[in-house]
């Protein structure tokens, strides 16, 4: 059967139809999924997988969480969208809630977008309003794929086919305080508008920022009148066991971006401007979005924040993250290094370049993990992952690694 919506179509039939109808930018998807519940998803053939990636750090509450389902259902029954000619209670409540959770001072504000990339685009435009046009980012940085955000992203394979990108971006070595100081020392004409940093580099393989480097970036940007923009698209909304990763470092940015986990899977992004001076940089008419901040996405995000708080998922995230670190260390396996990262944004270093093969073997065994590079496995499970679920994966690891040795 082709063309219809046959419930009995197999995965391989559906993947053929995918190849015939979708742009090939994602390559061949690994599976055709049918539904999820909690920390598990099922494919169309009925196989179950423990989801240790959660849609790339998105499904903070796992799949089909009853509170998120109810919030979406209730809001959809009222209105999904109004446009930004109007506002709504969920939009205002979500903005207020984010500012409160961030401990943002009076005059701080939120702009809602629909993705991480769009949040970064808003931050780029914010930085241009300083009257300066240079931006500093770092090697390994990932800030999105639109032509603006891509200029901040470091990976050559993403950038080169689309050159020239917006000019004025320099990528400095990650964590190199001397290079950062030098960049500002060389900026006699005060052209640097902003420094963009991820508190934890996610796509680069879960690399937490050095706290001293982050503090230095804060000092230098403040001295030179440049903005410090922290990209918390991946690390924010409880992922590292605090609401926002910057709170672990005691550094307050001038602006920060959110997206992935915020809507629990419903697309939403946000730029938060900290303090009245930064907020005042963007004024009426200077930016916008048709969908951004619609009541459906905001109601979903409010539900995510409510459940994280009600169920104390920040503490839970820290506990399960530490448990994973300790149990992987206890394996004392020659292929594995100690887990990097905090909370449930973890990088598992491999001493051999087998991450892709390990992820493939894990998938066959019923575990979704991710290989951001050849020597790292990324774990970014739902924040509701239990220690028992985590144990199932850790217990399977030696067997999976053994399979790769004998393959
Ligand atoms: C995923 C990601 C982005 C891009 O977000 P999209 O929602 O894919 O546009 C930007 N910055 C960071 C740190 C990310 O992890």
């Amino acid at each position: 059967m082709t063309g219809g919506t046959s419930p009995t179509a197999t995965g391989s039939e559906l993947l053929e139809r995918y190849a015939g109808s979708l742009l090939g930018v994602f390559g061949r998807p690994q599976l055709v999924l049918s539904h999820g519940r909690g920390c598990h998803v099922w494919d169309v053939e009925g196989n179950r997988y423990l989801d240790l990636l959660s849609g790339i750090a998105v499904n903070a509450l796992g799949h089909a969480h009853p509170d998120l389902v109810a919030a979406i259902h209730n809001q959809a029954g009222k209105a999904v969208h109004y446009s930004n000619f109007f506002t709504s209670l969920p939009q205002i409540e979500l903005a207020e809630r984010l500012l409160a959770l961030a401990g943002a001072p009076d005059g701080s504000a939120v702009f809602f977008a629909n993705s991480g990339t769009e949040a970064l685009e808003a931050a780029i435009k914010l930085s241009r309003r300083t009257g300066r046009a240079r931006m500093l980012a770092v090697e390994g940085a990932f800030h999105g794929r639109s032509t603006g955000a891509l200029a901040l992203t470091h990976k050559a394979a993403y950038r080169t086919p689309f050159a020239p990108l917006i000019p004025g971006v320099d990528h400095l070595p990650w964590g190199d305080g001397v290079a950062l100081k030098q960049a500002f020392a060389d900026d006699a004409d005060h052209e640097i508008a902003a420094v963009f940093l991820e508190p934890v580099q996610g796509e680069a393989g879960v690399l937490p920022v050095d706290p001293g480097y982050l503090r230095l970036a804060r000092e230098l940007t403040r001295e030179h009148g440049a903005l410090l923009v922290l990209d918390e698209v991946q690390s924010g909304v409880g992922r590292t066991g605090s609401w926002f990763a910057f709170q672990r470092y005691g550094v307050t940015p001038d602006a920060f971006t959110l997206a992935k986990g915020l809507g629990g899977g419903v697309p939403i992004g946000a730029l938060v401007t900290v303090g009245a001076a930064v907020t005042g940089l963007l004024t009426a008419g200077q930016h916008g979005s048709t969908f951004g901040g619609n009541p459906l996405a905001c109601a979903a995000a409010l539900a995510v924040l409510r459940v994280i708080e009600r169920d104390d998922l920040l503490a839970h995230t820290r506990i399960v993250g530490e448990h994973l670190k300790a149990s992987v260390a206890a394996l004392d396996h020659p292929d594995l290094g100690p887990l990097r990262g905090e909370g449930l944004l973890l990088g598992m270093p491999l001493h051999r370049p087998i991450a892709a093969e390990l992820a493939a073997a894990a998938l066959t065994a019923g575990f979704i993990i991710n290989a951001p590079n050849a020597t790292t496995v990324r774990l970014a499970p739902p924040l509701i992952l239990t220690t028992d679920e985590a144990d199932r994966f850790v217990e399977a690891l030696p067997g999976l690694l053994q399979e790769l040795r004998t393959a």
Side-chain angles (χ1 to χ4, degrees), residues 115-118 120 142-144 198 203 231 233-234 259-260:
S115 68
T117 298
E118 285 181 38
L120 265 296
F142 185 84
H143 297 294
E198 296 159 84
E203 298 309 300
D231 183 352
V233 165
Q234 189 156 162
K260 290 191 166 86

Side-chain angles (χ1 to χ4, degrees), residues 75 78-88 90 290 294-295:
Q75 186 57 48
K78 294 179 188 165
V80 170
H81 173 85
Y82 302 117
S83 91
N84 284 303
F85 292 131
F86 308 95
T87 186
S88 64
T290 296
N294 76 57

Side-chain angles (χ1 to χ4, degrees), residues 175 212 214 283 314 353-354 401:
L214 188 59
T283 57
L314 298 183
I354 52 167
L401 290 163

